Amino acid sequence: MSELQRSFAKAKLQSLPFDPPLPPNAVESEQSTEPPAGNEANGDDAKDGLKPLPERRVSQEGGTVEDDSSSASSASSASSAGTIRPEPRRRLFARPKGPVPGSVRATYTPLPWTFYFQQELHLTSPTSPLIHHAYLTPPSTPTAPLFITHHGAGSSGLSFAACTAEIRKLVPEAGILSIDARGHGETVLKAPPSSSTASTASTASTPTSTPPTLDPSAEETLAKTLGQSKAGKLDMSLDTLGHDFERILSLTVAEMKWKELPDLILVGHSLGGAVITHVARGGRLGSKVLGYAVLDVVEGSAIDALQSMQSYLSSRPRTFPTVESAIEWHIRSRTIRTSASARVSVPSLLKPGPKGEGGAAYPFNPTTTFPTSRSPPGKESGETWTWRTDLGRTEPFWKEWFVGLSRKFLEARGGKLLLLAGTDRLDRELMIGQMQGKYQLQVYPDAGHFIQEDLPEKTAIALVDFWKRNDGRLIAPPKVSSFLSKKQSSAPGLH
């Protein structure tokens, strides 16, 4: 330290208040806790591998100064009256104990549907061989909208769970109806007439009734009714899926005893986008449909993707040892990029498989444990989990789902919203329609195919803004001419 720095530090220290000396017992205890210098250090500090603190000396002016080899800035900061000395026995760099938030133990645990919906419905109709299943949060006011969501092929109504929760944050009074299409989720065939039950609804506050199971004899009867050549093969044509959509809505209105149909916003992802477009173009729901939103499906790119669909189906695992391992695969493969959404939607895609089922299985680390309230089948019991929907059996309907989709989307009445994960998915018809302002387009390049699961908050904001833009109850501002005429008539002295 130079003479100039030394004199500057001395002048600063003289301006500080005098620190009173410590009591004798405190000095002794402090000296007794100082670790030995050099290689003889032991105790907690030796375990931590930390070097002992540098010694301090007290100047005649009452301040604390460092060794002469330290810089002037360090001497000034060390002489501050409020400097806190760390206790040698405190393990400042010790690692926290317990599970780390966001670890494997918490990432793949399934979440129940009751976190996102108030009710689940099992709906039957004399004209339908199915027991339709749907998740419902009713509108809280008569004027609130009802968002009806239809999932894509191979998914379920819970693929919209995270997104609809964000919608309720923005519009707490809004209603949500998320359906399971035939052959998906918990929509199943009716049991024989002797054991069939009426429509039932279970709330989140009461125990959920056991859903109906698939009956082999009912499966054969359904095949004959639908004119299928192979027993147990569901009719997945676009007309049939559209009628199911309208039937579920009608049964829900009757089940909930609504006096009239609420204002509707139809939302469909992939195959669901083709279904709600077909329904909107049919016009059977009338003026209650304020608009419809299609998520990441375009005719041209969808038809091109069908060529590689069988390769994709053969490349994914056929079985999983646990539900948690299926959630892990969806997240690690980036099929679903939000763990919270995968934890609620993936369990509904699976069903218990028979023991020793063949096919490629997803590898599972036996040293990794997943906390769960139930005991799912695993390697110890020889049981596995397999896909609930066999997408390979729906191949005869693939082209029918998407051929003519762009034309239907532009021709149907009502507001139109298209959410895509990339602009390269637009075909020629949609590009022309976009330039003509026939629909609203939003692109999310950070999302994958499942936009509503990868970006639930942004998707919800787009849907709510879309509803507000097409709400028929919005009051337009008065015209300037009417405002001026009213002002002139109310002005005094004008005759």
Side-chain angles (χ1 to χ4, degrees), residues 162-233:
C163 177
T164 54
E166 297 296 332
I167 292 177
R168 291 277 296 179
K169 291 179 182 179
L170 300 172
V171 188
E173 67 274 11
I176 308 293
L177 177 64
S178 190
I179 71 173
D180 286 339
R182 58 172 55 201
H184 295 72
E186 295 188 21
T187 293
V188 295
L189 294 168
K190 287 181 180 178
S194 58
S195 60
S196 61
T197 57
S199 302
T200 59
S202 61
T203 62
S205 59
T206 59
T208 304
S209 59
T210 304
T213 57
L214 191 66
D215 185 77
S217 60
E219 195 170 359
E220 297 178 359
T221 304
L222 176 64
K224 297 177 181 179
T225 303
L226 299 177
Q228 301 293 336
S229 59
K230 185 178 179 180
K233 185 176 182 180

Side-chain angles (χ1 to χ4, degrees), residues 122-142:
H122 296 280
L123 306 167
T124 61
S125 171
T127 60
S128 175
L130 301 173
I131 299 179
H132 298 282
H133 181 261
Y135 301 94
L136 174 67
T137 298
S140 58
T141 62

